[in-house]
Amino acid sequence: MSASEISPARVTLDPQTGVLRGAGVTESVKTLRQLAGYFRDEAARAAMDPETVLYRVQSYEPQPEGVEGAICCATTFLMPGRVGDEYFMTRGHYHAAQDRPEMEVTVSGEGVLVLMDENRQTRAEIMRPGSVHAVPPRTAHRVANIGTEPLVFVSYWPSETGHDYGEIVARGFSGRVRQINGKPALVPEPEA
Ligand code: PAN
Ligand code: ZN
């Protein structure tokens, strides 16, 4: 029997920082300019520096988006801050293949995962280092940073999933994470 080579991983995820490195890792950045219309107080957003970086995402997708055959992962680095009383947050989305779930694992920082089902019922879970969150099928998900340092978390989803941002652009979430009397709260948002 001849020994075959044991090869190193082509991609690494630093467990301390969440940084993904290696062949096929891509990175994207979202600034305040790109989140026009997402926050409750659009005037406050428009008055801030549009080049303010809200979050960066490093992704490792072994198959292209929408093509089955892999599990993808991505680290999101979400900065601390607020637009008015609303904490910095990701855009949020449903999955295009609606029956596909997701998992979030928090690396560092303090956040809130907002989950909205297809009946627009919204609930939220606290994200802390080590917390693991199952996002069920047919559930829109968004993350808010309620802390003072970057919130870092890793997401896992099947490659065939695809992302659907349209419904959130059109109708938003039915609850927003806002600072009320100095503390974060999930506040119901009446539809316009
Ligand atoms: C995450 C998100 C990431 C950025 O990787 O894509 O946190 O949020 P938005 O995509 O909503 O801007 C994920 O949910 N992947 O499916
Ligand atoms: Zn997702």
Side-chain angles (χ1 to χ4, degrees):
M1 193 180 102
S2 65
S4 55
E5 196 185 334
I6 300 175
S7 48
R10 299 209 308 235
V11 175
T12 60
L13 192 156
D14 185 318
Q16 253 79 50
T17 63
V19 169
L20 270 172
R21 283 195 191 86
V25 174
T26 59
E27 180 158 337
S28 67
V29 176
K30 290 283 175 286
T31 61
L32 267 182
R33 183 196 301 284
Q34 292 159 289
L35 268 85
Y38 278 92
F39 289 92
R40 187 166 189 271
D41 189 342
E42 173 57 21
R45 188 210 61 85
M48 295 168 75
D49 180 352
E51 302 314 323
T52 304
V53 171
L54 237 64
Y55 54 100
R56 292 188 298 121
V57 181
Q58 294 179 329
S59 305
Y60 174 46
E61 301 181 64
Q63 291 281 15
E65 172 150 342
V67 177
E68 66 181 25
I71 298 293
C72 300
C73 69
T75 306
T76 302
F77 304 85
L78 175 59
M79 297 307 121
R82 288 193 310 274
V83 174
D85 66 8
E86 189 172 13
Y87 295 93
F88 280 6
M89 63 186 184
T90 60
R91 292 172 297 172
H93 56 265
Y94 285 99
H95 286 159
Q98 296 179 6
D99 57 351
R100 299 303 192 279
E102 181 165 320
M103 183 162 278
E104 322 287 357
V105 180
T106 312
V107 173
S108 59
E110 212 187 339
V112 172
L113 171 64
V114 182
L115 299 163
M116 180 172 72
D117 69 19
E118 54 196 339
N119 300 316
R120 296 186 57 78
Q121 293 297 308
T122 299
R123 63 190 175 88
E125 296 181 0
I126 290 280
M127 300 173 79
R128 293 187 190 291
S131 65
V132 177
H133 308 268
V135 178
R138 285 170 278 277
T139 304
H141 40 291
R142 162 182 284 169
V143 170
N145 185 342
I146 59 167
T148 55
E149 52 183 275
L151 173 68
V152 182
F153 61 95
V154 185
S155 309
Y156 300 87
W157 69 96
S159 53
E160 71 274 17
T161 296
H163 295 78
D164 175 7
Y165 294 92
E167 173 74 8
I168 300 305
V169 169
R171 296 181 72 192
F173 277 70
S174 58
R176 292 179 178 275
V177 185
R178 296 165 54 188
Q179 189 180 64
I180 307 291
N181 298 326
K183 285 195 295 200
L186 180 68
V187 184
E189 177 76 4
E191 249 189 288

